[in-house]
């Protein structure tokens, strides 16, 4: 594509930094007043580039210059109508697109494995979520997609719903039958928002699943910071149709994001787009081959299995997400992750009851993956078990109808109670294992024995759960709505 070799925002920023201005504006460090530890570790230059809106550098919240051009190039690369750069991650983009597509009181259809940012959107927007169920692989205990038949039934049942959100792909890189779901949602008059946090790279190589923009989603939010080369927290939101007004998205982003957006983040988006446009195909071809080799080596390690076959509910997968199961070693995910971290300095992306997720990107090569294979081989040697391991618990409870709107529950009077006493009561706060950031219970849902069981299993394994607190008596407390 012509023009994709340019990086207008980066060029404007560099021109500004090298122009020799003496600034009497923020940021206060002015590239000179810097904590010594930071300049020692990061060098001086990064602080010169740490700028926000200035004449000649455009304005993220009302772009007319370099940012506008940079966003247009990103839109062109992805085949979107328009693209918004985000400094609040995909979280901000998902909230903004849902707020832009709805008005208070609207019903929205969400997958039960929706990211917690969508919970924030329903609270801020006063929305009524109706969940369609996730499918959990019974052996692996990971979410592998959604229940398509139920999703289609729910679309037909809730004719008054305004929008549908889908997760494409899941955290583990699994892709469901999105094209059919999007088509059914459109036929029912719904706006479709795709959470493509883990799929910004799908567009550059034919061996990856098709991206949601190509499948007809109206808004697609991606985290290039997760898979491409941009800095953490930088994301982008693409509009694929005119079902969502760009003006409403821009306004919602002005509600949500900083009025001093970081140019380190936005310039990194411009350059990550340029890098992907120039080299995306070859980079992801290499990454795919590295991942393939990594997978085949992992498959040779005794008692370690790799999620290599498509689980039910998935129709495709990202070859660069490699999930291994170590339950046959008699180990839990957190124990195995600890061993890899402390004995081998290997850190993984996601730890579940009995699985570990490795993400391979173009940054990887034989060297990095061989280290991981050696570490897992050593782990297996230390823990030789031949019996087949325990079955994983489902990481998500069954879908239930909301007893209250999330907004009403979040703002209701509430009190903390020991978790065992919460059964039958309405949650005032979400309970969210993180990562992956999928709530076990949303504010407005009723605590069930199943939810408490799953929560306690996460806690027992040492997985961080946001929401509950442990009081002085070491009792686990959760927030319930005061009756
Ligand atoms: C499926 C999914 N959606 C959305 C997000 C939020 O993305 P970000 O970290 O860019 O805000 C995440 C983060 O892990 C995620 O896993």
């Amino acid at each position: 594509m012509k023009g994709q070799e340019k990086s207008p925002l980066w060029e404007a920023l560099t021109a500004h930094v090298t122009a020799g201005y003496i600034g009497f504006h923020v940021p206060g460090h002015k590239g000179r007043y810097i904590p010594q530890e930071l300049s020692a570790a990061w060098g001086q230059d990064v602080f010169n580039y740490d700028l926000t809106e200035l004449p000649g550098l455009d304005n993220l919240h009302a772009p007319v210059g370099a940012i506008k051009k940079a966003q247009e190039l990103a839109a062109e690369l992805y085949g979107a109508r328009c693209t918004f750069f985000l400094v609040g991650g995909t979280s901000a983009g998902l909230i903004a697109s849902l707020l832009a597509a709805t008005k208070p009181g609207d019903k929205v259809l969400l997958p039960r494995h929706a990211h917690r940012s969508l919970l924030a959107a329903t609270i801020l927007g006063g929305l009524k979520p109706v969940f369609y169920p996730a499918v959990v692989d019974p052996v692996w205990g990971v979410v592998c997609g959604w229940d398509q038949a139920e999703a289609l039934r729910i679309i037909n049942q809730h004719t008054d719903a305004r929008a549908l959100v889908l997760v494409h792909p899941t955290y583990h890189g699994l892709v469901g039958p999105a094209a059919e779901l999007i088509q059914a949602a459109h036929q029912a008059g719904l706006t479709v928002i795709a959470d493509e946090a883990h799929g910004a790279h799908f567009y550059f190589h034919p061996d990856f699943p098709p991206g949601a923009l190509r499948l007809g989603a109206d808004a697609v939010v991606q985290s290039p910071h997760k898979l491409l080369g941009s800095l953490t927290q930088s994301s982008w939101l693409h509009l694929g149709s005119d079902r969502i007004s760009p003006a409403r998205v821009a306004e919602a982003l002005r509600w949500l994001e900083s009025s001093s957006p970081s140019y380190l983040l936005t310039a990194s988006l411009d350059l990550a787009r340029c890098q992907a446009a120039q080299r995306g195909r070859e980079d992801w071809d290499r990454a795919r081959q590295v991942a393939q080799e990594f997978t085949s080596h992992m498959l040779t390690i005794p008692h370690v299995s790799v999620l290599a076959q498509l689980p039910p509910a998935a129709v495709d997968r990202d070859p660069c997400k490699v999930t291994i199961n170590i339950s046959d070693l008699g180990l839990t995910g957190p124990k195995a992750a600890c061993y890899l971290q402390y004995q081998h300095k290997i850190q993984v992306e996601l730890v579940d009851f009995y699985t570990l997720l490795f993400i391979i990107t173009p940054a990887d090569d034989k060297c990095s993956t061989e280290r991981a294979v050696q570490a897992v081989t050593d782990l297996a040697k230390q823990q030789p078990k031949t019996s087949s391991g325990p079955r994983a618990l489902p990481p998500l409870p069954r879908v239930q109808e909301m007893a209250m709107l999330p907004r009403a529950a979040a703002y209701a009077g509430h009190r903390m109670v020991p978790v065992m006493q919460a059964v039958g009561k309405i949650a005032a706060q979400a309970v969210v294992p993180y990562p992956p950031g999928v709530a076990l219970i949303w504010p407005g849902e009723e605590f069930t024995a199943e939810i408490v069981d799953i929560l306690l299993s996460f806690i027992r394994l040492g997985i961080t759960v946001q929401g509950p607190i442990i009081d002085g008596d070491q009792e686990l407390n959760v927030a319930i709505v005061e009756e």
Side-chain angles (χ1 to χ4, degrees):
M1 268 176 223
K2 239 176 103 229
Q4 289 290 331
E5 72 289 355
K6 297 207 170 86
S7 37
L9 181 52
W10 172 247
E11 284 155 26
L13 184 59
T14 308
H16 183 97
V17 168
T18 53
Y21 293 117
I22 299 180
F24 289 89
H25 53 70
V26 298
H29 62 66
K30 300 191 177 190
R32 302 186 295 278
Y33 180 59
I34 301 159
Q36 198 264 326
E37 293 82 351
L38 291 187
S39 53
W42 296 350
Q44 175 71 36
D45 285 349
V46 67
F47 294 95
N48 296 330
Y49 287 85
D50 179 32
L51 295 170
T52 188
E53 283 102 344
L54 288 168
L57 289 186
D58 208 3
N59 186 320
L60 184 64
H61 293 298
V64 290
I67 292 179
K68 180 168 183 279
K69 281 192 205 133
Q71 293 185 151
E72 282 168 359
L73 285 169
E76 185 194 47
L77 178 65
Y78 279 94
R81 279 185 71 226
C82 64
T83 293
F84 297 83
F85 283 2
L86 308 170
V87 292
T90 288
S91 302
L94 288 171
I95 300 171
S97 37
L98 202 53
L99 293 180
T102 56
K103 53 184 179 5
D106 276 348
K107 196 183 268 182
V108 291
L109 308 185
L110 303 182
R112 186 59 189 82
H113 54 302
H115 183 259
R116 66 167 307 155
S117 49
L118 291 156
L119 157 63
T122 62
I123 293 175
L124 295 173
L127 304 173
K128 176 161 199 256
V130 174
F131 292 112
Y132 56 97
V135 175
V136 174
D137 185 282
V139 176
W140 286 73
V142 302
V143 174
C144 51
W146 62 84
D147 180 333
Q148 182 81 331
E150 262 306 280
L152 297 177
R153 189 189 65 73
I154 285 169
I155 288 174
N156 290 328
Q157 183 188 346
H158 296 275
T159 49
D160 53 343
R162 179 77 57 173
L164 175 136
V165 177
L166 74 153
V167 181
H168 178 92
T170 65
Y171 212 131
H172 294 86
L174 300 166
V175 163
E180 191 196 352
L181 187 67
I182 294 170
Q183 202 184 16
H186 280 163
Q187 272 165 8
L190 300 173
T191 300
V192 178
I193 298 165
D195 174 353
E196 206 167 61
H198 298 276
H201 57 310
F202 281 3
Y203 297 74
F204 309 124
H205 193 289
D207 287 355
F208 287 79
L213 264 173
R214 305 239 164 104
L215 301 177
D218 303 302
V220 176
V221 194
Q222 302 168 332
S223 299
H225 71 89
K226 292 191 195 296
L227 278 314
L228 305 184
S230 73
L231 294 181
T232 296
Q233 234 170 279
S234 63
S235 283
W236 46 44
L237 185 172
H238 308 290
L239 293 186
S241 77
D242 55 10
R243 277 196 184 82
I244 300 188
S245 142
R248 285 201 65 192
V249 171
E251 180 63 3
L253 288 171
R254 285 190 281 266
W255 297 339
L256 294 169
E257 293 194 309
S258 168
S259 58
S260 313
S262 159
Y263 274 68
L264 297 178
L265 299 189
T266 51
S268 81
L269 284 170
D270 192 25
L271 290 173
R273 185 271 314 148
C274 183
Q275 184 183 42
Q278 311 282 37
R279 304 195 339 225
R281 188 177 168 115
E282 70 184 84
D283 285 351
W284 285 98
D285 195 50
R286 205 179 57 251
R288 187 187 57 87
Q289 286 175 39
V290 169
Q292 209 167 31
E293 206 169 313
F294 179 59
T295 303
S296 48
H297 284 138
M298 283 289 182
L299 279 166
T300 63
I301 303 174
H303 312 303
V304 171
S305 36
V306 183
L307 187 57
Q309 286 188 338
L310 278 185
V315 297
D316 206 347
R317 61 181 308 138
D318 177 351
C320 286
K321 295 282 186 89
V322 183
T323 306
I324 67 166
N325 189 325
I326 37 71
S327 67
D328 283 353
L329 293 172
L331 278 175
T332 63
K335 282 215 168 106
C338 250
Y339 187 85
L340 298 182
Q341 175 166 356
Y342 294 111
Q343 298 297 320
H344 291 277
K345 293 195 162 32
I346 294 287
Q347 283 194 304
V348 298
E349 167 63 21
L350 180 64
V351 180
D352 255 317
F353 292 124
Y354 297 107
T355 64
L356 305 177
L357 168 66
F358 296 77
I359 294 187
I360 307 294
T361 76
D364 287 295
D365 56 17
K366 261 186 175 213
C367 238
S368 61
T369 53
E370 266 170 19
R371 282 265 316 270
V373 171
Q374 279 164 12
V376 176
T377 307
D378 177 48
L379 174 78
K381 274 201 196 120
Q382 302 301 323
Q383 286 286 130
K385 281 267 162 51
T386 46
S387 66
S388 74
R391 298 199 112 206
L393 278 173
L396 271 181
R398 267 181 291 267
V399 164
Q400 55 170 303
E401 210 176 305
M402 289 268 161
M404 272 173 98
L405 286 189
R407 181 182 177 90
Y411 282 103
H414 67 267
R415 66 194 164 92
M416 303 302 290
V417 296
V419 66
M420 300 310 279
Q421 291 171 27
V423 175
K425 306 276 194 269
I426 299 171
Q429 234 180 37
V431 170
V432 190
Y434 214 103
V438 173
L440 294 182
I441 186 163
W442 283 45
E445 282 184 320
E446 197 176 288
F447 274 98
T448 60
E450 184 194 26
I451 293 173
V452 171
D453 253 10
I454 300 174
L455 165 60
L456 291 175
S457 317
F458 275 108
I459 301 276
R460 272 195 293 271
L461 285 178
I463 292 174
T464 307
V465 181
Q466 299 173 355
I469 53 169
I470 295 177
D471 68 12
D473 298 328
Q474 295 300 302
E475 201 146 24
L476 189 73
N477 288 273
V478 291
I480 58 160
V481 170
E482 198 120 49
E483 280 155 18

